[in-house]
Structures are given as C-alpha cells and as structure tokens.
C-alpha cells in the first residue's frame, strides 16, 4: 500500500513494482496492492500476515493512524518502507509511532532512527517494467539521456555542461525544467517509456537530488543512490553517475558496470569515449544489467522484507 493519496503521489508506480516483486516470490494469489484510500478495507478483506506501507509520510493529511488498528485486527504485522530519506527524515517519526518495523531507503539515515527495529533497504528495479536487452551502441539514437525532476543541483549542472554538449544528441525529461535548456522538456515520463529511452542512449546520466523537504534535525546528506540507477542498469543503459558519495560502489563496480564523474567536462569526455569504444560501453551495460538482475530487483527486496519480518 501507499503512504500518501494517489492524487499527490508521483511514485505510486513503485507500489506496483513492489507488488510484482512479491508476486515473483510468493505467487500472485498471495499478494494484494492498494492505494492508501482503500488500504484499511483491503486489509480487512484480504487478511494478510504482512502489510508494507511504502512511500512518503510528509503529507500531514494522509489518513495513516487507523491503519495499525486494521492491521492488528487482521493479525498482521505492519512495516513502513520510507523512500524519501534523508530529504524527509524529520517526518519519519510518524512511521516510527505506527510501525512494527521501519525500512529506510538511505543508509546514512538508518542510525538516526530511534525505533527499535529499523533496516536499510534501497529501492530497486522492476523486471516487468524496466528490463530491456542491451541494444548495440550503433543503434542508439541519443548520446546522453536524463530523466528526473529539475532539482536546483541538476539544473545547475546541466546549465554548466550545456556549452560542451553542443552538437551532441541530448534529451532531458521530467518536471520543472527551464526553457534555458533547449534539450530539456518539462514532461514526466512513465517508467516503461523511461526504460525505453535509456536503452536508446549511449549514456544515461545519474544525478541525485539536493533539495530537502524536512531534514533540519540532523541535516543528513544522502548516501544511497536512488532507484533510477537500478532501473537504468536493468534497461541496458551505460551510466554516468555523479559521485556524490561512494556507497554506489556497493551496488555497481566503477569502470566495469558504471562510470563515475564529479566535474562537468567529464560528461562530454564520456560521450566522446562511447563513440571511440562502443564495444566497451556495450559490455559495461551488459555487466550492469546482469548485476541488477542478480541483486537489485523488487523480488530481491521482497525477499529481504520477508526475511527481516520473519526474524
């Protein structure tokens, strides 16, 4: 289930991806998905042994307090998987009050929770939505692709890179992009369309966000990469990842499965290298896709949740 109403939840598709992951592990008959608005009724009817509440708890009006009562009546346990840490960490106390267990998407947020039962669990990729065969580099119509909201750090980076990207085939999609970037379109992409486009690019850019909603208590820096890194890997996209931290190396090997960068000139240099060494970039994409299939799908996350909740 989601933790915020679908009308304001831009990440509702992650709920469906997690359902698919649990179905891969348990079978379709054992799993049900519900928006927040219908969750209590769904719990009463389905009577599960585990309820996973997935998302953000920053919406004050979200009706969450009745959920533990319906979960207890069903004889179930309640886990919250918060996927907007550390940017909304200060709201996490709402989940701590209600949950039997809290999963946080960010490793550095983990030791700052006070709940007695907390785990770190990164987001992932969905085989049914994101998996694509690795396309030959010669068939890729884009040099560089990025999909994501126009957070200030992302806008600033691409504005600095704009001059060096002249003549390159660049496409940026997402909410809030300014008209000053001619290759950016202010439009959201469905997850499957994002995977299609990433599979058509020589390089897919991975740049985290730098915009806190409620992170004043500890001002935690983000540690764990977001889901787009896993999604693009599964889509067969060679990735150029901004090196905000080194935790990403726990998930993908630099130079073999992804490339890291920390300065704007490296973007154009990586594009040029992808033209000089197409076979190396195709091999990098193959290895990253294999790693995602082996360790970073929602079926893997579902198994982790089940193991933790059974302990």
């Amino acid at each position: 289930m989601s933790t915020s109403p679908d009308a304001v939840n831009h990440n509702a598709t992650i709920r469906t991806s997690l359902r698919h992951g649990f179905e891969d592990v348990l079978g379709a008959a054992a799993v049900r998905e519900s928006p927040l608005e219908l969750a209590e009724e769904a719990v009463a009817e389905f009577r599960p042994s585990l309820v996973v509440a997935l998302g953000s708890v920053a919406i004050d009006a979200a009706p969450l307090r009745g959920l533990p009562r319906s979960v207890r009546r069903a004889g179930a346990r309640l886990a919250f998987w918060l996927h907007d840490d550390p940017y909304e960490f200060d709201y996490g106390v709402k989940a701590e009050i209600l949950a039997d267990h809290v999963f946080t998407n960010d490793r550095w947020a983990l030791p700052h929770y006070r709940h007695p039962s907390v785990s770190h669990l990164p987001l992932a990729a969905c085989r049914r939505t994101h998996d694509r065969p690795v396309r030959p580099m010669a068939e890729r119509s884009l040099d560089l692709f990025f999909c994501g909201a126009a957070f200030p750090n992302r806008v600033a980076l691409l504005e600095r890179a704009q001059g060096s990207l002249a003549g390159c085939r660049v496409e940026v999609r997402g909410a809030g992009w300014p008209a000053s970037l001619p290759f950016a379109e202010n439009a959201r992409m469905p997850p499957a369309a994002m995977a299609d486009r990433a599979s058509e690019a020589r390089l897919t850019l991975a740049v985290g966000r730098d915009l806190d909603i409620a992170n004043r208590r500890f001002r935690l820096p983000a540690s764990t990469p977001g889901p787009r890194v896993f999604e693009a890997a599964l889509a067969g996209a060679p990735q150029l990842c901004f090196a905000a931290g080194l935790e990403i190396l726990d998930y993908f090997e630099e130079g073999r499965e992804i490339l890291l960068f920390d300065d704007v000139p490296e973007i154009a240099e990586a594009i040029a290298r992808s033209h000089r060494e197409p076979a190396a970039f195709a091999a990098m994409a193959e290895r990253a896709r294999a790693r995602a299939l082996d360790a970073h799908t929602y079926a893997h996350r579902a198994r982790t949740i089940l193991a933790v909740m059974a302990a």
Side-chain angles (χ1 to χ4, degrees), residues 129-130 132 135 139-147 169-173 185 189-204 232 235-238:
T129 302
H130 303 113
R132 303 288 185 276
R135 187 187 299 260
E139 297 179 7
R140 299 186 181 229
S141 59
L142 291 174
D143 289 313
L144 184 70
F145 173 68
F146 178 77
C147 182
R169 301 165 297 173
V170 180
E171 186 175 293
V172 173
R173 295 290 183 270
E185 183 177 335
M189 295 188 81
M194 183 282 300
D196 288 338
R197 210 63 178 132
S199 74
E200 297 169 0
R202 287 179 170 273
L203 277 173
T204 291

Side-chain angles (χ1 to χ4, degrees), residues 154-209:
R154 294 171 174 173
V155 173
L157 184 145
L158 287 171
E159 285 179 339
R160 294 197 307 273
Q162 184 173 349
S164 63
L165 295 177
C168 296
R169 301 165 297 173
V170 180
E171 186 175 293
V172 173
R173 295 290 183 270
W177 289 97
S180 60
L181 291 172
F183 46 70
E185 183 177 335
N186 184 11
R188 295 182 184 275
M189 295 188 81
M194 183 282 300
D196 288 338
R197 210 63 178 132
S199 74
E200 297 169 0
R202 287 179 170 273
L203 277 173
T204 291
L205 199 61
V207 182
R209 65 187 271 191

Side-chain angles (χ1 to χ4, degrees), residues 14-120:
I14 299 178
R15 179 182 75 219
T16 301
S17 294
L18 182 59
R19 172 173 64 84
H20 289 160
F22 275 109
E23 288 177 350
D24 290 344
V25 177
L26 300 173
V31 187
R32 180 170 297 183
E33 171 190 353
S34 174
L36 172 61
E37 299 91 319
L38 302 176
E40 291 185 43
E41 292 86 345
V43 170
E45 178 184 346
F46 191 52
R47 299 192 67 80
S49 58
L50 173 64
V51 175
V52 180
L54 171 70
S56 162
V57 289
I59 306 298
D60 289 329
L64 290 170
R65 288 195 169 274
L67 182 64
R69 290 192 295 271
S70 64
V71 171
R72 284 194 294 272
R73 284 195 294 267
R77 301 188 72 204
L78 176 60
F80 273 71
W81 187 4
L82 304 181
H83 65 36
D84 279 297
D85 280 339
Y87 314 106
E88 299 177 1
F89 177 81
D90 295 352
Y91 280 104
V93 64
K94 295 166 65 175
E96 291 181 285
I97 291 170
L98 303 175
D100 294 307
H101 191 91
V102 175
F103 294 91
T104 172
N105 67 290
D106 191 75
R107 182 180 290 171
W108 183 228
L110 177 66
H112 296 85
Y113 275 96
R114 293 176 293 183
H115 194 282
S117 187
V118 187
S119 301
H120 170 232

